[in-house]
Amino acid sequence: MRVLVQPMGGGDWQLLTTVALQVPCYLPFADCLIAPKALPLTAPFVVHRRQWLATALLAQFPVPAGFDRVLGVVSVDIFAPPYNFVFGIAEVQGKRALISLARLQGQDSDASRGLLEGRAVKEALHELGHTLGLAHCPDPICVAAFSNSLADIDRKGPAFCLRCQQQIMHALRRWGDRRK
């Protein structure tokens, strides 16, 4: 499965590289490449919320020929009704996923670079899991668990639990059969 890591509105190339290198460690069938340039931010900015509409941003990421998924990465704050904010969003069993780095730093601007990178990798894996049909996992340490706060992200690891791994492998077999 080829995944394009696509920044929008600018890019932290070091962080993008970390994500692209770490995702295949936990999704070994994924091959991640980074897009050579960032796309411009053009989705609706909701002025009274001071946030960007996540679903509109997600829809703007093209999936180029030769790629099976695109993982959009933005640094702006995003929301998706009914939530006040989201760390990311994905098309369930689709080809597009999006993560936002805006809230991953947290209130502490001195949070370590490693902590930010780890959170970004976890959110990337979480959203890519949704594109493979995974729902939120009840296991709080599985990367597919729902995160409502940074504490939730920090509690979980970057790996999928055994149950989620099995669901991913089943989805990949179905996906492979359709490609034949």
Side-chain angles (χ1 to χ4, degrees):
M1 180 173 80
R2 295 194 62 193
V3 179
L4 179 67
V5 179
Q6 175 65 69
M8 181 181 269
D12 178 336
W13 300 101
Q14 181 181 349
L15 188 136
L16 295 171
T17 300
T18 298
V19 169
L21 291 172
Q22 289 294 308
V23 164
C25 294
Y26 301 97
L27 287 175
F29 50 84
D31 177 27
C32 294
L33 299 162
I34 302 169
K37 66 179 190 172
L39 298 175
L41 275 170
T42 58
F45 178 72
V46 181
V47 176
H48 73 278
R49 294 181 66 109
R50 295 188 199 134
Q51 292 175 299
W52 296 78
L53 184 59
T55 52
L57 281 172
L58 182 66
Q60 292 182 2
F61 284 96
V63 182
F67 288 91
D68 303 297
R69 302 285 187 279
V70 63
L71 173 66
V73 181
V74 297
S75 295
V76 296
D77 196 17
I78 61 175
F79 79 101
Y83 301 105
N84 291 329
F85 72 92
V86 292
F87 295 114
I89 190 170
E91 297 172 337
V92 176
Q93 295 182 336
K95 294 185 174 200
R96 293 177 180 87
L98 168 69
I99 63 169
S100 169
L101 306 175
R103 292 182 183 249
L104 295 181
Q105 185 75 39
Q107 298 296 331
D108 181 7
S109 61
D110 294 328
S112 76
R113 179 68 181 193
L115 186 60
L116 172 62
E117 290 174 351
R119 289 171 176 166
V121 168
K122 290 176 193 179
E123 286 307 304
L125 289 161
H126 178 96
E127 297 305 337
L128 287 170
H130 285 314
T131 70
L132 294 166
L134 284 185
H136 288 134
C137 181
D139 181 347
I141 62 169
C142 176
V143 76
F146 178 74
S147 295
N148 194 42
S149 68
L150 290 176
D152 293 340
I153 297 171
D154 294 342
R155 177 180 47 243
K156 62 187 178 182
F160 293 96
C161 70
L162 182 58
R163 188 180 123 255
C164 289
Q165 288 176 28
Q166 290 170 339
Q167 289 178 354
I168 289 171
M169 295 313 293
H170 182 69
L172 287 172
R173 281 193 295 276
R174 284 192 326 263
W175 177 65
D177 290 344
R178 284 189 297 233
R179 292 187 67 171
K180 290 179 182 178

